[in-house]
Amino acid sequence: MLEPFRAIVDGEEPPPPGARAPSEEELTRALQVLLKSQCIYAGTPGIGRSYELARHYAPFFQAYFGCLGYRFEVAHRDQMVCLRVPLDGIRHDAQGERLRKDETLVLLSLRLAYEEGLRAHQVTTEGVVECTTDDIAESIRTATRSDPPDEQRLIDILRLFARKGALRLGERDKVEKITPLMVLPGITVLSPDTWMDQVRSWGAARGEEAF
């Protein structure tokens, strides 16, 4: 990977139209940002040129992350680049860490909210579906017939998935005690169909209602 990396930095690979070739620091940053966040967007704040570089130099990013066992993808419609993590096999990285039960339920609820928004055509041109923390809590309560995480724990879990590019949190309404959520296309990367099926099967085996 050192030779392709150097070719990009030295300008041997054509840079993005109207832009200069990235510096070594910029290209390294783009790799680190994507590895940490898993899903990034054209409008993700604080990432510099990372989205632009990942999209433009897609073959390099595909090869680099392929060596780590990830599948790099560019979703032009959603203005997103992401890393998909294979579900099979033993993993030794942070992306492969097992979720706690409450984290799993929140992730499932976010995916459900996104799917419902798509079916109802309540999605923005950027692929965003809006809901609230109340919606997520009620979804868990209805599907599992159990109490959802308390408000602070729920916010902590949502912030975890926000760092992965699955959603954005709005400002909390102090009167209603709810927080608006913007569920992003990256939710389908963190909770792919095969993973959803596995979790539903696990829930059915335990006698819990599936989402």
Side-chain angles (χ1 to χ4, degrees), residues 48-180:
R49 300 174 65 196
S50 297
Y51 169 79
E52 172 196 4
L53 297 178
R55 185 183 64 173
H56 182 75
Y57 296 110
F60 166 73
F61 279 76
Q62 288 170 345
Y64 179 89
F65 286 112
C67 292
L68 300 178
Y70 301 117
R71 190 168 80 245
F72 172 82
E73 292 183 3
V74 178
H76 295 285
R77 184 191 63 184
D78 298 322
Q79 293 189 300
M80 174 183 76
V81 295
C82 64
L83 297 179
R84 291 193 179 270
V85 182
L87 296 178
D88 54 338
I90 299 174
R91 303 197 62 84
H92 305 280
D93 54 5
Q95 308 290 15
E97 291 179 354
R98 293 178 62 87
L99 297 175
R100 297 179 180 178
K101 181 179 178 181
D102 57 355
E103 294 168 343
T104 299
L105 292 176
V106 171
L107 186 58
L108 279 167
S109 297
L110 289 168
R111 176 64 189 270
L112 179 61
Y114 191 75
E115 290 178 348
E116 290 177 345
L118 291 179
R119 285 195 296 267
H121 304 290
Q122 296 175 341
V123 57
T124 70
T125 54
E126 292 81 23
V128 175
V129 170
E130 297 181 351
C131 63
T132 70
T133 46
D134 263 12
D135 296 326
I136 299 302
E138 184 58 31
S139 179
I140 294 174
R141 188 178 292 111
T142 300
T144 65
R145 297 190 181 93
S146 61
D147 291 332
D150 62 42
E151 183 184 11
Q152 186 55 57
R153 173 60 179 159
L154 178 56
I155 292 297
D156 289 343
I157 295 172
L158 291 170
R159 285 173 177 161
L160 166 67
F161 295 135
R163 290 193 293 270
K164 297 294 183 181
L167 73 144
R168 292 197 299 269
L169 285 78
E171 288 292 328
R172 179 178 183 268
D173 187 314
K174 296 181 180 179
V175 177
E176 298 293 334
K177 295 184 179 180
I178 61 174
T179 301

Side-chain angles (χ1 to χ4, degrees), residues 27-45:
L27 190 55
T28 298
R29 180 186 187 184
L31 293 167
Q32 292 175 344
V33 164
L34 194 51
L35 186 60
K36 177 183 178 181
S37 299
Q38 195 169 349
C39 302
I40 61 174
Y41 305 84
T44 299

